[in-house]
Amino acid sequence: MSGTCVTPAHRFSVAPMMEWTDRHCRFFHRLLTRRALIYTEMITTGAVLHGHRARLLAYDAAEHPVALQLGGSDPRALAECAHIAEDLGYDEINLNVGCPSDRVQEGRFGACLMAEPRLVGDCVAAMKGTVAVPVTVKCRIGIDQQDPEEALNVLTSAVNDAGVDALIVHARKAWLEGLSPRENREIPPLDYDRVYRLKAAHRDLVVVLNGGVASLEQARAHLNRLDGVMMGRAAYQEPWRLLEVDPLLFGEPAPFATPKAVAEAMMPYIERELEAGTRLHAITRHILGLFRGVPGARAFRRHLATEAVKPGAGSDVLAAALSQLMDSGENLAHIAA
Ligand SMILES: Cc1cc2nc3c(=O)[nH]c(=O)nc-3n(C[C@H](O)[C@H](O)[C@H](O)COP(=O)(O)O)c2cc1C
């Protein structure tokens, strides 16, 4: 039966986001929450099989639980990539059935697969036949002129029959022509009721809602009706929210009492990465939104944005940026206790 071997980590996850959820970002997010499931950027089967695999699939052991998102539509290639990823220790393999970009459409994968549910089922079956870790799908409620009622039902049946372990639904349509990927995250209206109906009709399937969730309070409300919530932009742009995931959604202490303590805990990682040739900005660009309402937050951001990009910038730049923050006394000790 599907849905039984998925970890409770599906309760809350951070969405896969190209150019954003790279390994530095994921390491940072893991310091903010031990329990959220985190996803890589989408990596295509072609890149895994023919590209710089070691670099593309590299991750830090501290990131677990971490899911690899694959883009592709050839069942054999997906099975091979899933096998490679499982060997590397990834905790879940996710198939992208939601990305609307032109490049992805040309490759006949992503959101356009909403129109090919049987093929998606074959892809899931091929991966399930190869790996023991959970295989999941992230989809839309439909594309273009599709009726979301029927399109999502048909896709769900196909992946359910193939043994999918969870279905993550971005609760809006994608329009494959006329809208950019960014517009496709904003213009088609959100339809949470469609996802609630899906769950009501498939009690045994793990259903995760994604799209427009702006706070953990909203996430908690969805969790009354669904198995999980996936947060994308709000988690990335306002990462301080993640520090409350463990206390509010899992009843466990936050890993750190304050956002500042999290930034300080990044230091050893930053030193290690600089040593290995990573540029400071590649890491610090992900932490710009860490402070909310703390006096000096703007100066912190400005200092990092201007200084961390300079050649040879070292960890002292982050230390100097942190020193711009006033000690406001704001912390999470009350929920970390
Ligand atoms: C910069 C960016 C890159 C994204 N890249 C991916 C991706 O690689 N794979 C994917 O399934 N979705 C991708 N998405 C979509 C998100 O995973 C998510 O479905 C969408 O942002 C809606 O969730 P939100 O409203 O919580 O942000 C991306 C979104 C953004 C903002």
Side-chain angles (χ1 to χ4, degrees), residues 84-107:
I84 291 166
E86 183 182 50
D87 270 356
L88 289 170
Y90 277 98
D91 299 291
E92 172 184 319
I93 315 298
N94 175 265
L95 178 65
N96 183 326
V97 184
C99 178
S101 81
D102 289 345
R103 190 175 64 87
V104 159
Q105 283 184 59
E106 279 162 24

Side-chain angles (χ1 to χ4, degrees), residues 311-326:
S315 59
D316 53 311
V317 170
L318 177 58
L322 286 171
S323 72
Q324 313 271 328
L325 298 165
M326 318 287 173

Side-chain angles (χ1 to χ4, degrees), residues 15-20 40-42 69 94 96 98-99 138 170 172 185 210-213 230-234:
M17 289 177 280
M18 297 276 281
E19 315 256 305
W20 288 9
T40 66
E41 308 164 86
M42 179 186 73
Q69 188 186 59
N94 175 265
N96 183 326
C99 178
K138 177 167 179 276
H170 183 176
R172 54 161 60 90
R185 293 192 287 266
N210 168 246
V213 178
M230 172 182 270
M231 186 183 262
R233 288 163 290 186

Side-chain angles (χ1 to χ4, degrees), residues 132-143:
V133 293
V135 173
T136 64
V137 167
K138 177 167 179 276
C139 68
R140 300 272 184 149
I141 59 172
I143 50 170

Side-chain angles (χ1 to χ4, degrees), residues 12 14 17 29 231-242:
F12 184 85
V14 179
M17 289 177 280
H29 284 175
M231 186 183 262
R233 288 163 290 186
Y236 184 85
Q237 287 158 351
E238 300 161 343
W240 49 268
R241 292 185 186 283
L242 296 178

Side-chain angles (χ1 to χ4, degrees), residues 57 97 176 194 306 326 333:
L57 296 183
V97 184
L176 297 184
R194 178 64 193 96
T306 54
M326 318 287 173

Side-chain angles (χ1 to χ4, degrees), residues 137-160:
V137 167
K138 177 167 179 276
C139 68
R140 300 272 184 149
I141 59 172
I143 50 170
D144 300 334
Q145 304 299 342
Q146 280 184 330
D147 168 14
E149 224 48 51
E150 197 196 335
L152 191 56
N153 280 345
V154 174
L155 184 88
T156 303
S157 295
V159 297
N160 217 0

Side-chain angles (χ1 to χ4, degrees), residues 21-329:
T21 51
D22 63 15
R23 65 189 177 88
H24 306 307
C25 175
R26 299 192 306 264
F27 185 93
F28 167 56
H29 284 175
R30 180 56 71 217
L31 290 180
L32 291 155
T33 161
R34 295 187 187 97
R35 296 299 303 269
L37 175 60
I38 52 183
Y39 284 76
T40 66
E41 308 164 86
M42 179 186 73
I43 304 180
T44 64
T45 50
V48 173
L49 298 177
H50 311 297
H52 195 321
R53 186 182 303 168
R55 183 176 56 76
L56 286 169
L57 296 183
Y59 70 94
D60 192 286
E63 288 176 35
H64 290 296
V66 57
L68 174 70
Q69 188 186 59
L70 290 172
S73 59
D74 173 15
R76 275 174 53 188
L78 284 164
E80 196 176 339
C81 291
H83 182 60
I84 291 166
E86 183 182 50
D87 270 356
L88 289 170
Y90 277 98
D91 299 291
E92 172 184 319
I93 315 298
N94 175 265
L95 178 65
N96 183 326
V97 184
C99 178
S101 81
D102 289 345
R103 190 175 64 87
V104 159
Q105 283 184 59
E106 279 162 24
R108 195 178 154 223
F109 57 93
C112 62
L113 289 177
M114 291 295 301
E116 299 194 69
R118 273 176 51 191
L119 176 58
V120 178
D122 291 346
C123 292
V124 171
M127 290 190 280
K128 285 292 293 178
T130 309
V131 298
V133 293
V135 173
T136 64
V137 167
K138 177 167 179 276
C139 68
R140 300 272 184 149
I141 59 172
I143 50 170
D144 300 334
Q145 304 299 342
Q146 280 184 330
D147 168 14
E149 224 48 51
E150 197 196 335
L152 191 56
N153 280 345
V154 174
L155 184 88
T156 303
S157 295
V159 297
N160 217 0
D161 289 350
V164 81
D165 292 288
L167 186 61
I168 302 152
V169 187
H170 183 176
R172 54 161 60 90
K173 272 187 166 184
W175 289 96
L176 297 184
E177 270 175 45
L179 293 186
S180 69
R182 186 187 179 135
E183 289 168 332
N184 259 314
R185 293 192 287 266
E186 285 160 10
I187 293 176
L190 287 161
D191 186 352
Y192 293 145
D193 285 340
R194 178 64 193 96
V195 186
Y196 296 156
R197 281 197 300 281
L198 183 76
K199 177 64 196 177
H202 297 271
R203 301 309 304 174
D204 288 341
L205 177 66
V206 174
V207 176
V208 176
L209 178 140
N210 168 246
V213 178
S215 71
L216 295 188
E217 287 67 33
Q218 290 179 12
R220 207 148 55 163
H222 290 303
L223 286 172
N224 290 328
R225 308 178 68 164
L226 298 161
D227 302 289
V229 171
M230 172 182 270
M231 186 183 262
R233 288 163 290 186
Y236 184 85
Q237 287 158 351
E238 300 161 343
W240 49 268
R241 292 185 186 283
L242 296 178
L243 203 46
E244 295 190 328
V245 166
D246 294 0
L248 291 184
L249 302 183
F250 294 91
E252 293 180 8
F256 291 91
T258 64
K260 191 169 183 182
V262 175
E264 283 162 358
M266 284 293 286
M267 286 294 190
Y269 176 81
I270 288 174
E271 297 285 359
R272 215 162 61 227
E273 283 294 325
L274 292 177
E275 195 76 16
T278 302
R279 286 179 50 234
L280 182 67
H281 178 66
I283 305 170
T284 54
R285 72 190 182 98
H286 301 301
I287 74 175
L288 295 174
L290 182 57
F291 298 99
R292 174 201 54 154
V294 179
R298 191 180 299 168
F300 167 82
R301 270 199 310 275
R302 199 180 318 119
H303 189 84
L304 271 192
T306 54
E307 299 302 316
V309 290
K310 294 186 176 162
S315 59
D316 53 311
V317 170
L318 177 58
L322 286 171
S323 72
Q324 313 271 328
L325 298 165
M326 318 287 173
D327 226 337
S328 68

